[in-house]
């Protein structure tokens, strides 16, 4: 049996098609949802610990939407920073330290991380932090000054 190189590689990679599909459409969204929940939990703890400060901001004249923007801004800054840091670290480690991920099958030599991964890292960090911090930021703007100061002895 004779076949072209491309046909032989396609036949070989056919076994991995379902695995790649699962990683792309099941595993990646599950990871993003988990990260959003972790961020939501962390920002919720931060809002709960800062209720007195949020109440003081309200007393000083901050509007609820300004408090919402402050909490969302903090979360988005952390998300963008962590996305950028992890993308750059992955790119440098795979491309320059390891020299690519070796995959010596057919015409594949090694896989390298494209520089577009930095943009993807920042975008994923931004979206994940935004989704994860909406509910805690909404609860931060609803802080009641009288209830917070009633608890403080």
């Amino acid at each position: 049996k004779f076949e072209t190189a491309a046909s032989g590689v396609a036949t070989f990679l056919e076994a991995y098609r379902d695995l790649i599909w699962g990683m792309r459409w099941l595993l990646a969204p599950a990871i993003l949802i988990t990260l959003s929940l972790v961020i939501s939990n962390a920002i919720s703890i931060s809002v709960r610990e800062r209720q007195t400060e949020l109440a003081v901001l309200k007393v000083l004249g901050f509007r609820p939407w300004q408090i919402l923007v402050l909490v969302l801004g903090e979360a988005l800054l952390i998300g963008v920073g962590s996305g950028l840091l992890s993308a750059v670290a992955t790119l440098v480690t795979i491309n320059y330290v390891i020299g690519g991920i070796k995959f010596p099958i057919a015409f594949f030599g090694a896989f390298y991380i494209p520089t577009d991964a930095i943009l993807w890292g920042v975008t994923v960090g931004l979206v994940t932090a935004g989704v994860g911090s909406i509910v805690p930021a909404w609860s931060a703007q609803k802080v009641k000054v009288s209830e917070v100061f009633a608890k403080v002895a």
Side-chain angles (χ1 to χ4, degrees):
K1 178 178 175 182
F2 290 99
E3 61 185 352
T4 63
S7 175
V9 170
T11 303
F12 176 80
L13 293 178
E14 183 71 26
Y16 296 104
R17 187 179 75 189
D18 292 337
L19 180 65
I20 293 169
W21 181 89
M23 288 173 43
R24 182 176 185 177
W25 298 108
L26 299 176
L27 185 62
I31 290 170
L32 294 178
I33 290 168
T34 303
L35 287 173
S36 292
L37 290 174
V38 168
I39 290 170
S40 179
N41 190 24
I43 299 298
S44 292
I45 290 170
S46 174
V47 165
R48 198 173 310 118
E49 288 178 352
R50 295 181 184 174
Q51 280 192 345
T52 305
E53 291 89 351
L54 295 171
V56 169
L57 288 176
K58 280 195 165 185
V59 168
L60 290 175
F62 278 73
R63 304 265 185 240
W65 67 268
Q66 291 172 317
I67 292 174
L68 177 95
V69 168
L70 285 172
V71 174
L72 276 176
E74 177 188 9
L76 293 177
L77 183 66
I78 291 169
V80 167
S82 62
L84 177 66
L85 182 67
S86 62
V88 168
T90 302
L91 184 125
V92 168
T93 302
I94 298 297
N95 289 358
Y96 302 112
V97 175
I98 297 175
I101 298 173
K102 307 295 186 239
F103 195 67
I105 296 174
F107 51 85
F108 297 118
F111 284 106
Y112 294 96
I113 306 293
T115 55
D116 292 344
I118 295 172
L119 179 63
W120 277 100
V122 169
T123 304
V124 167
L126 182 73
V127 170
T128 304
V131 169
S133 65
I134 289 173
V135 172
W138 190 261
S139 70
Q141 78 168 356
K142 299 289 185 187
V143 168
K144 303 254 189 285
V145 175
S146 59
E147 290 178 7
V148 171
F149 288 131
K151 294 178 187 176
V152 178

